[in-house]
Each structure stands twice: as C-alpha cells, then as structure tokens.
Amino acid sequence: MFAGRFRLAAGFAVAILSLAVAAIASASTAPNVKDARLAGAYRLERGGWTYVHLQGTPEQIGFQNGYLLASEIADFSHVIKVETKHSTNRDWQFYREAARTILWPHIDREYQQELKGIAAGAEARGVKLDVWDIVAMNGWMELSEYYVPWLDRKSHAANVPAKFDPKAPGNCSAFIATGSYTKGGKIVIAHNNWSSYPEDSRWVIVYDIQPAYGHRILMDGAPGLIDSADDFGINDAGIMVTETTISQFVGWNSNGIPEFVRARKAMQYANSIDDYIAIMRKGNNGGYANDWLIGDRKTGEIAVLELGLKHTAVWRKKDGYFVGSNFPRDPALIRDETEGFDSKDMSSSPNARRARWKQLIEANKGKIDVPMAEQFLADHEDSFLHEKKADQRSLCGHVDESKEGISIWGWKPYYPGGAAQGKATDSDMAARMSFVARAGHPCGENFYAKPFLAAHPEYVWMKPILKDMIAGPWMVFKAGARAQGPEHSGQ
Ligand SMILES: [Zn+2]
C-alpha cells in the first residue's frame, strides 16, 4: 500500500512520510499500546466519572487497571500518603512493609496476580509504584484505621500523641428495600460515600470487570483498587450489595484475609446471599468492619451482615428494608467491639441519619424507586434539629459546614468530608448490569477548595490534595458501556 504512494506528488509524499515518522515516534513513547494484556480494555469519561472496562485473566485485569488509570493511581496514592502520614504519623514505608508482611501472605494467588498486574500496568505508563505500593493502597483503610490503632493499643500508645489517634471511619449513608416498600416490589439499593473530600473527589471510577473466572461485576471505586472499597456493586448472578462502616469499631487480626480481598471475592463469586456472607466471614481479619446490605434480585430477599470480628450477626427479610448510616445494631457487638457506641444519642451523625432514613422510607412505603433513591441520597433534613440543614447529620453529609464535626470518627470541626458521590439501582436495572451514579455531592452542590482553605487554615495540610468537587448529573452506567450512547437518568 505504501509503495503506491510514491507515485503521488513529492510534497504529499513528504507529508505522509512525516506522519509515518510521527506515528513511530509516538509508538516508541507508548511501547505497550499493543500489549496483548490490554486486549478488550477501554476507558470513557462521563459526567465526572471515569468508566473502565477490564477483562480477562487476573494479570490482564490488573494490567488494564494500572495502565488505563495510571495517572489517577499516581494521584490517588499521593492522597493516601498525605492522609495516612497526617492521621497516624507513620510514613509510607511503614505501610509498604505492612502490605508485604501482613497482608500479602493472606491474599489469594488470583488477586496477588491482579495486584502485580496493576503495578506493571502503571509502570508501563511511567508511574513509579511497585506491588507493595499497590497492596498498601488497596489496604489503606484497614491498615491505617484498624491495624494501626490495634498496634498502638498493644504498645500502650506510650509514644502516640493524642493528635494521632486514628479511629474506625464512619463513612456513608445507604439503604436497601424490597417487597411492599418499593414500587413494583423489586429490590432498590442506594449508597452515598462519606470520605474525606480528597478521597471522595477521586472515588469516581466505574469498574466494569469481566473476569476469566467468576461473575461479571459493575461497581464504583477508586483508582488502582481491586475492590470497590465503598462497596457499591452488582454482579451478573443477581447480587446487589453495599455497606456502611461501623462507627467506633475496634478489632484486628493480622492472620486474617484482608477485607479488600474478601470484598472483591464476594462480589466476583457469590451466587446467593449465603455465598456472600460465607466469603466475607471466612478468614475475617476485622479490617474495615461494616454493616453489609445485600440483596438477591433472583429471590427478592435482602439481608444485613454486621461483620464484626467476634460477632457477625445476620438479619434477613423478603419484605421490608434495612438502612445503613454507620451505626452497629447488635448489642453484643456494641458491648464487645466498639469504643462505647451510644445508640441513644440522637445528636450523633449515625443515629440522626438512622432516624431520617426510617422517616423517609416509611413515608414513601410502596413508592420507592431509583429516582426517589436519588432524592433520598440528596436529603438535607437534620432529624435532630428538625430543620433543613446540610451538615453532619443530613443523609447528604456536608461536614465542612459543621462547627461540631464528628468526634467519634476523629473528624474535627469543619472537616472537609461528607457525602460526595452517590449510586442507586433496582432489580430491573441490575438485571441489565446497570446503575445510576452522580459525582460530587448527591444534592448537586459544588465544593471549592480555595475559599474553604482560606476560611479554615487548620486544614492547610490538605492543600496539596484538596481539590474542587463540581457535581455532575445523575448518569446511567451499564456493563459494556462502549456499545451504548451517553445517557442521563433524567434527573
Ligand atoms: Zn448535599
């Protein structure tokens, strides 16, 4: 084909030759573009989210994650390093070492290969992170908020100043409803992610994973992780899942399987609620202890697994609902595994949101659907003050506007954290491997870093990682998105 072009006018031939040279030059700066490990993978940007389709063997899925999200992974790892140093006074080498010696020996070979693949994919794009960085990133919450407090208590915290007193996080508002509570009787599930804004603003990846083994997964997540980490997802066996963390939880077992591994494995291999519970319980290390809200669209049944370390109670319903707002419900767990969680203090964020969830769901019994779930996630009622106020007690949390902060999570006044992305789906959408998601506050309000830091200089340490969060629209995401046109959910 090229030979024929030599008969063209000289000037045109030179132009073509220049293009060819340019193409070679660009190929040489990205030598892995044709890497077989990238076969079938792609990424799309939509409404503030980055959607990635990953497929194949564990190594391929990992490599695709690392390659397609390389710059986001480098950025997110920087956030984790800054935050963990600030909250625990441990440098990154401590976390790399814990990843290598404590987490790695308990990770299934399948996921070890995927984690190695992420490091290799990122490295192929020039990002200087190795597998221990990637494992530490995947385990950052369980290491900094469960392992480190356990370690500090073990060593009697002699050298740990009060300012470094990491606590179990209290992230997220969620519900799952079924039967007579929902429109049409199908399962409806929804979740918004309450993290620090530096984390939230990067927690905008939609993963469509088509693994060589197990079930197809559609879930939200952060860059370079093998699990969702805020754990909103569906699989093609009909499992619909999310969670909220247990406030003031205390417990850790270094000989257990990391939570991020069990969470991913359950999403990938569970065919039923029973499977999901069994995978989460097996080898439980106590890290990132959550109340898991689980649904099976095949049966319409819903469940809560409250996964402590000593106590792992389950509640199940075929008609009704469960809510999540970071409160533990089992009295034995509260007694044995929390730092005195007070279920009666209605001014606390978890209890105030629990009350608001019940009001909303009971008031809308029989009418709950996905558009209504979007409204719930954006709700600003403070049930303790009985007024509309976006603060630490509203389902759509804005703790940056709260002069109290949330002390039980170690969030000081005006801490820049709260509900900063949301997702929802129902049985019918899940059958099509689809959910809706909104980047930024679910209510649509924007957050601007510069005026916030000017008003709250005590958070200047966050300056390198805190960025604006501009809310996107509610978007529909579906597995195999490339074949679909861009869609808005109509909200
Ligand atoms: Zn809001």
Side-chain angles (χ1 to χ4, degrees):
M1 180 183 113
F2 205 142
R5 300 212 188 265
F6 282 112
R7 289 197 293 272
L8 296 172
F12 193 26
V14 168
I16 287 184
L17 196 59
S18 310
L19 282 176
V21 170
I24 290 163
S26 110
S28 70
T29 55
N32 289 291
V33 163
K34 288 190 177 142
D35 194 304
R37 289 171 290 186
L38 292 170
Y42 56 90
R43 71 175 266 169
L44 304 165
E45 319 279 339
R46 295 222 176 130
W49 294 86
T50 299
Y51 168 103
V52 288
H53 170 80
L54 314 178
Q55 64 174 60
T57 63
E59 184 199 10
Q60 286 171 323
I61 290 171
F63 189 82
Q64 293 161 12
N65 186 339
Y67 192 91
L68 294 177
L69 296 172
S71 63
E72 288 84 358
I73 291 170
D75 175 50
F76 189 61
S77 77
H78 177 58
V79 170
I80 299 306
K81 286 174 193 173
V82 171
E83 288 192 339
T84 52
K85 172 73 181 164
H86 184 84
S87 64
T88 67
N89 200 27
R90 263 84 171 183
D91 63 16
W92 190 242
Q93 188 53 35
F94 168 87
Y95 288 97
R96 285 170 48 84
E97 201 54 23
R100 188 178 67 80
T101 59
I102 294 171
L103 302 184
W104 187 256
H106 305 288
I107 299 176
D108 300 89
R109 190 174 137 72
E110 172 177 357
Y111 300 119
Q112 288 184 342
Q113 289 174 333
E114 189 169 325
L115 290 156
K116 284 181 184 168
I118 295 172
E123 196 190 352
R125 294 282 302 278
V127 172
K128 300 281 172 237
L129 295 171
D130 68 12
V131 67
W132 308 128
D133 293 314
I134 299 298
V135 175
M137 260 178 67
N138 274 265
W140 101 93
M141 285 192 288
E142 47 198 303
L143 289 175
S144 68
E145 292 163 324
Y146 298 80
Y147 169 60
V148 168
W150 172 84
L151 202 60
D152 285 349
R153 272 187 295 276
K154 210 171 72 150
S155 61
H156 306 293
N159 54 353
V160 182
K163 107 176 236 234
F164 303 114
D165 181 19
K167 293 181 187 306
N171 306 341
C172 313
S173 299
F175 81 92
I176 188 166
T178 192
S180 60
Y181 276 83
T182 63
K183 197 170 169 178
K186 305 284 175 59
I187 295 173
V188 178
I189 186 169
H191 176 273
N192 63 33
N193 178 334
W194 291 48
S195 293
S196 72
Y197 291 162
E199 291 175 20
D200 272 332
S201 55
R202 282 128 176 132
W203 215 305
V204 285
I205 311 296
V206 172
Y207 285 101
D208 167 23
I209 305 178
Q210 193 171 4
Y213 322 105
H215 296 296
R216 189 158 185 170
I217 297 165
L218 187 72
M219 65 187 192
D220 77 326
L225 306 187
I226 68 166
D227 72 328
S228 162
D230 73 355
D231 301 303
F232 183 89
I234 54 180
N235 74 19
D236 68 6
I239 299 304
M240 306 159 73
V241 69
T242 195
E243 45 79 358
T244 74
T245 49
I246 301 172
S247 294
Q248 296 177 281
F249 184 83
V250 176
W252 175 261
N253 176 4
S254 290
N255 294 315
I257 299 169
E259 189 275 346
F260 74 84
V261 173
R262 288 176 288 119
R264 166 57 187 279
K265 193 172 183 174
M267 197 87 89
Q268 187 173 347
Y269 288 101
N271 284 299
S272 65
I273 291 172
D274 287 321
D275 287 350
Y276 202 95
I277 292 169
I279 294 169
M280 291 309 299
R281 278 178 171 162
K282 189 177 177 193
N284 179 10
N285 72 342
Y288 199 37
N290 293 318
D291 272 54
W292 293 84
L293 310 186
I294 312 160
D296 183 346
R297 66 170 164 76
K298 303 186 297 298
T299 62
E301 188 178 17
I302 60 174
V304 176
L305 164 64
E306 186 165 273
L307 192 63
L309 194 52
K310 300 185 181 109
H311 302 285
T312 64
V314 172
W315 295 261
R316 302 172 79 130
K317 286 178 184 171
K318 290 212 164 168
D319 187 20
Y321 64 93
F322 295 108
V323 303
S325 55
N326 315 113
F327 62 89
R329 56 195 88 208
D330 174 7
L333 183 145
I334 293 171
R335 183 190 64 224
D336 297 339
E337 301 192 81
T338 71
E339 289 182 302
F341 182 83
D342 181 357
S343 302
K344 295 196 177 69
D345 176 7
M346 296 314 290
S347 73
S348 86
S349 170
N351 296 331
R353 286 182 290 132
R354 178 187 201 169
R356 181 57 180 161
W357 269 134
K358 287 186 175 174
Q359 286 169 1
L360 278 173
I361 291 175
E362 291 294 351
N364 292 287
K365 184 176 180 182
K367 295 184 289 189
I368 296 169
D369 60 7
V370 169
M372 191 173 279
E374 293 173 2
Q375 300 302 315
F376 292 173
L377 295 177
D379 186 76
H380 284 172
E381 180 74 15
D382 180 324
S383 70
F384 180 70
L385 298 177
H386 303 287
E387 64 180 88
K388 275 223 169 342
K389 191 168 179 286
D391 61 14
Q392 80 280 19
R393 284 185 285 261
S394 47
L395 292 175
C396 180
H398 296 243
V399 185
D400 56 302
E401 295 174 33
S402 162
K403 66 178 187 302
E404 292 106 333
I406 301 178
S407 60
I408 59 172
W409 308 344
W411 284 16
K412 304 269 186 325
Y414 304 107
Y415 183 82
Q421 48 100 311
K423 297 83 52 186
T425 192
D426 64 17
S427 299
D428 293 339
M429 291 186 77
R432 300 191 298 269
M433 288 300 285
S434 176
F435 59 64
V436 296
R438 181 175 215 173
H441 284 301
C443 60
E445 285 180 18
N446 297 330
F447 169 83
Y448 297 101
K450 201 172 169 186
F452 173 82
L453 288 172
H456 302 289
E458 66 274 28
Y459 291 105
V460 73
W461 66 270
M462 275 193 185
K463 194 174 177 188
I465 55 172
L466 188 66
K467 60 180 190 176
D468 295 346
M469 290 193 304
I470 308 302
W474 283 102
M475 303 285 301
V476 177
F477 289 98
K478 189 172 179 195
R482 188 184 253 174
Q484 326 291 323
E487 287 178 86
H488 291 247
S489 73
Q491 289 297 301

